[in-house]
Amino acid sequence: MKWLLVALLLATMQGCALTVSNSRALQPIDDFVQLASDARVWVEPGYEAYGERVSAALPAAIAKVEAAHYLPFLRPPRVYVCGSEDCFNRCVYTPRLSAAVIPDNRLILSPNLNGRESARLPGLLTHELAHLHLGQRIGHYNSTLPVWFHEGWASLTAEGGGAEYATDAQAYAAIRAGRRVDLVARDTPDRRHRAGAFKLNIFEFYRESMLLVGWLKAQDETRFRQLALAVQNNTDFEIAFWDIYGQSPATRLAGFYEDVPGDAGLNDNASIQAAPAKP
């Protein structure tokens, strides 16, 4: 039953778009109207109440992103709110998501966050704003930044947003089973190393990535800040990492894997929808 639930979640509740490249992602969005009370929020007509919920969540989400990235947004963020499935399907190539930042750096929210997943709105909004913040500086999913860092940093910023459907215990269990992020693998513009490349499901991947980035930050936030600023200055991740840490990511983060607790230190019976961890 547990794995059936996981399968259903995988099919319906993924967090954000990593691979949107179809021309549908660049369709005009003239149908949205600006929320009267907040110029940053644009809504599908008739769903202004949903837009007000987004507006109320924006200040805290923006503050978290700017603090985690050590820089303000280059431009005020704009959020597009789809109240219907038709709207989201028209704007986003992978419509089963709950939110997405698509290639031209548009942040679009699904009607899921106004319905069955309404509790996820603050976390996923923060997660996607983290992607938008980075996208303003280096473009949409720059291949010099590994996906594990990209998603792990966004999930950490959102205090688990986007990684809620796997617990720390499940991520550690995957690591003990040999299903771990390959920190040596390099992305290219036409090859992204996502969850399946490491035999992880999407939620395990997000959670493990978040734990990796959280460990790196906790070990030495001064150096982590230097890395974050270098990445946002469009420096190649590997080059920046070597310059700051004097070793490769795989060598540095070996310490994280060495610290993974054994079975006795974990409660592997924790709920799938666990509260976000704060590494």
Side-chain angles (χ1 to χ4, degrees), residues 24-48:
R24 284 169 55 191
L26 303 177
Q27 291 297 312
I29 51 176
D30 300 335
D31 293 340
F32 290 85
V33 295
Q34 191 177 58
L35 193 67
S37 61
D38 193 334
R40 300 166 299 183
V41 180
W42 291 67
V43 303
E44 180 183 2
Y47 294 93
E48 286 76 13

Side-chain angles (χ1 to χ4, degrees), residues 44 83-90 95 110-112 116:
E44 180 183 2
S84 70
E85 295 289 346
D86 286 345
C87 169
F88 197 66
N89 292 350
R90 185 172 63 252
S110 147
N112 292 350
R116 64 177 182 268

Side-chain angles (χ1 to χ4, degrees), residues 153-229:
W153 194 12
S155 295
L156 185 69
T157 299
E159 299 180 328
E164 307 98 318
Y165 293 110
T167 64
D168 289 0
Q170 289 168 322
Y172 290 138
I175 291 167
R176 293 196 303 271
R179 293 183 290 114
R180 59 176 64 181
V181 174
D182 180 358
L183 299 172
V184 176
R186 294 294 305 271
D187 289 342
T188 62
D190 60 352
R191 172 74 193 280
R192 312 303 305 281
H193 291 86
R194 298 180 292 275
F198 314 119
K199 300 182 180 178
L200 294 163
N201 69 48
I202 189 69
F203 302 112
E204 291 170 337
F205 176 64
Y206 276 35
R207 194 58 146 193
E208 184 176 332
S209 297
M210 183 182 74
L211 292 172
L212 279 164
V213 177
W215 184 91
L216 190 64
K217 182 176 181 179
Q219 294 299 304
D220 187 337
E221 185 167 0
T222 298
R223 286 186 177 181
F224 183 85
R225 183 179 186 276
Q226 291 173 344
L227 177 65
L229 293 174

Side-chain angles (χ1 to χ4, degrees), residues 25-267:
L26 303 177
Q27 291 297 312
I29 51 176
D30 300 335
D31 293 340
F32 290 85
V33 295
Q34 191 177 58
L35 193 67
S37 61
D38 193 334
R40 300 166 299 183
V41 180
W42 291 67
V43 303
E44 180 183 2
Y47 294 93
E48 286 76 13
Y50 182 12
E52 293 290 352
R53 289 184 60 229
V54 174
S55 175
L58 260 179
I62 289 171
K64 286 181 179 179
V65 171
E66 293 185 335
H69 287 212
Y70 308 102
L71 288 171
F73 278 88
L74 276 178
R75 296 174 294 280
R78 180 180 289 190
V79 182
Y80 294 93
V81 178
C82 279
S84 70
E85 295 289 346
D86 286 345
C87 169
F88 197 66
N89 292 350
R90 185 172 63 252
C91 293
V92 178
Y93 180 54
T94 315
R96 289 182 300 178
L97 305 172
S98 297
V101 173
I102 59 177
D104 50 349
N105 279 325
R106 297 176 186 164
L107 196 172
I108 303 176
L109 301 182
S110 147
N112 292 350
L113 297 177
N114 197 41
R116 64 177 182 268
E117 297 182 78
S118 59
R120 299 183 76 201
L121 175 60
L124 276 188
L125 178 62
T126 304
H127 183 113
E128 298 302 335
L129 282 169
H131 290 322
L132 180 64
H133 184 284
L134 189 58
Q136 287 185 352
R137 294 179 182 276
I138 69 172
H140 181 78
Y141 292 110
N142 190 310
S143 63
T144 68
L145 187 67
V147 175
W148 66 264
F149 189 88
H150 203 151
E151 292 299 345
W153 194 12
S155 295
L156 185 69
T157 299
E159 299 180 328
E164 307 98 318
Y165 293 110
T167 64
D168 289 0
Q170 289 168 322
Y172 290 138
I175 291 167
R176 293 196 303 271
R179 293 183 290 114
R180 59 176 64 181
V181 174
D182 180 358
L183 299 172
V184 176
R186 294 294 305 271
D187 289 342
T188 62
D190 60 352
R191 172 74 193 280
R192 312 303 305 281
H193 291 86
R194 298 180 292 275
F198 314 119
K199 300 182 180 178
L200 294 163
N201 69 48
I202 189 69
F203 302 112
E204 291 170 337
F205 176 64
Y206 276 35
R207 194 58 146 193
E208 184 176 332
S209 297
M210 183 182 74
L211 292 172
L212 279 164
V213 177
W215 184 91
L216 190 64
K217 182 176 181 179
Q219 294 299 304
D220 187 337
E221 185 167 0
T222 298
R223 286 186 177 181
F224 183 85
R225 183 179 186 276
Q226 291 173 344
L227 177 65
L229 293 174
V231 163
Q232 292 175 95
N233 196 37
N234 217 8
T235 304
D236 179 277
F237 180 78
E238 292 280 337
I239 293 173
F241 203 100
W242 272 99
D243 285 347
I244 292 162
Y245 290 98
Q247 54 190 172
S248 71
T251 300
R252 182 73 176 182
L253 286 158
F256 165 79
Y257 287 113
E258 290 168 1
D259 289 344
V260 169
D263 291 295
L266 294 169
N267 173 16

